[in-house]
Amino acid sequence: MNTPLGVILAGGLATRMGGGDKGLLKIGGRSLLSHVIDRLSQQVGRLALNANGDPERFADLNLPVLPDTIEGFAGPLAGVLAGLDWAAEQGADSIVTAAADTPFFPRDLVARLTDAAEGQTYPLVLATTPRTGDEALKSGGGKRVNRHPTFGLWPVALRDDLRDALNDGLRKVVLWTDKHDGREALFPADPFDPFFNVNTPDDLARAQELLEKA
């Protein structure tokens, strides 16, 4: 498998932040997107941004902007598909996705996802972290990890299968990954979950605190 390309998923509706682009919110004087770009660009061959609407608002990032090709808001899988179609044009075998509102994801994300995919016909791996504290007591069918479906390794070879699934109405990421025997890569959640994402104003304040401690 050649080096994956990177796709930042920024197609969410941000309803709990009042709408708009969460990735353009700032911590440490820089946008969340800038922090994500810094981390992911060092781990992949090339980088693109999945976002809908006017791409000019991201012009200063100097990245290809990939809109969803599935009509309506189809969730993160639509962004994955847009990324896979772009990667196919680049001659790549796979992509790794990261969310635009998650500035502290692991710096070895790509390496650990690709290691977990060893031996798979089609590399398909989601990032996970252990459930801790009160989370460990919640019902979940005995599942002791949290899966982070916007952070994954995805094979270009399955893009048409994903397109068909989306056109048939599939929206839940893990239903598709489980169908194709997707694997999981476990990341530590100490001293905090590195996949912590900004959904609310309180989350943004916490992200600022975490940045200052980093």
Side-chain angles (χ1 to χ4, degrees):
M1 182 172 63
N2 56 20
T3 303
L5 304 188
V7 177
I8 300 171
L9 302 177
L13 297 176
T15 53
R16 283 181 281 179
M17 291 295 289
D21 297 295
K22 284 193 293 181
L24 298 182
L25 298 172
K26 292 185 177 182
I27 57 171
R30 302 174 63 224
S31 70
L32 296 175
L33 257 174
S34 294
H35 290 282
V36 173
I37 289 168
D38 284 352
R39 291 197 176 221
L40 192 56
S41 62
Q42 299 176 37
Q43 303 183 48
V44 296
R46 294 186 63 191
L47 195 57
L49 177 68
N50 162 242
N52 299 301
D54 185 359
E56 285 302 310
R57 68 193 192 277
F58 302 112
D60 62 323
L61 300 178
N62 295 314
L63 294 177
V65 179
L66 316 173
D68 293 349
T69 56
I70 302 295
E71 292 188 6
F73 179 67
L77 279 176
V80 171
L81 177 60
L84 291 173
D85 285 341
W86 168 72
E89 295 172 358
Q90 312 301 311
D93 295 334
S94 61
I95 63 171
V96 167
T97 55
D101 60 359
T102 307
F104 307 116
F105 67 89
R107 296 186 186 277
D108 60 351
L109 173 73
V110 174
R112 295 180 68 164
L113 291 175
T114 52
D115 284 349
E118 185 175 354
Q120 281 186 300
T121 302
Y122 302 118
L124 184 59
V125 184
L126 294 182
T128 66
T129 48
R131 287 189 171 187
T132 58
D134 290 342
E135 273 194 325
L137 302 176
K138 293 179 182 177
S139 61
K143 195 74 174 173
R144 296 181 180 273
V145 298
N146 288 321
R147 289 192 279 195
H148 303 283
T150 53
F151 287 84
L153 173 67
W154 312 87
V156 169
L158 290 180
R159 66 190 178 108
D160 289 331
D161 183 282
L162 177 56
R163 194 185 329 275
D164 290 343
L166 283 165
N167 284 327
D168 286 342
L170 179 74
R171 297 294 180 264
K172 192 170 178 60
V173 174
V174 296
L175 290 181
W176 189 76
T177 58
D178 286 351
K179 172 187 172 185
H180 293 286
D181 298 320
R183 295 180 181 175
E184 298 174 353
L186 184 65
F187 293 82
D190 183 50
F192 64 92
D193 190 332
F195 299 101
F196 161 74
N197 65 309
V198 175
N199 282 318
T200 68
D202 286 346
D203 291 339
L204 187 65
R206 185 184 176 214
Q208 180 65 52
E209 293 176 1
L210 290 173
L211 181 66
E212 292 169 356
K213 294 176 182 177

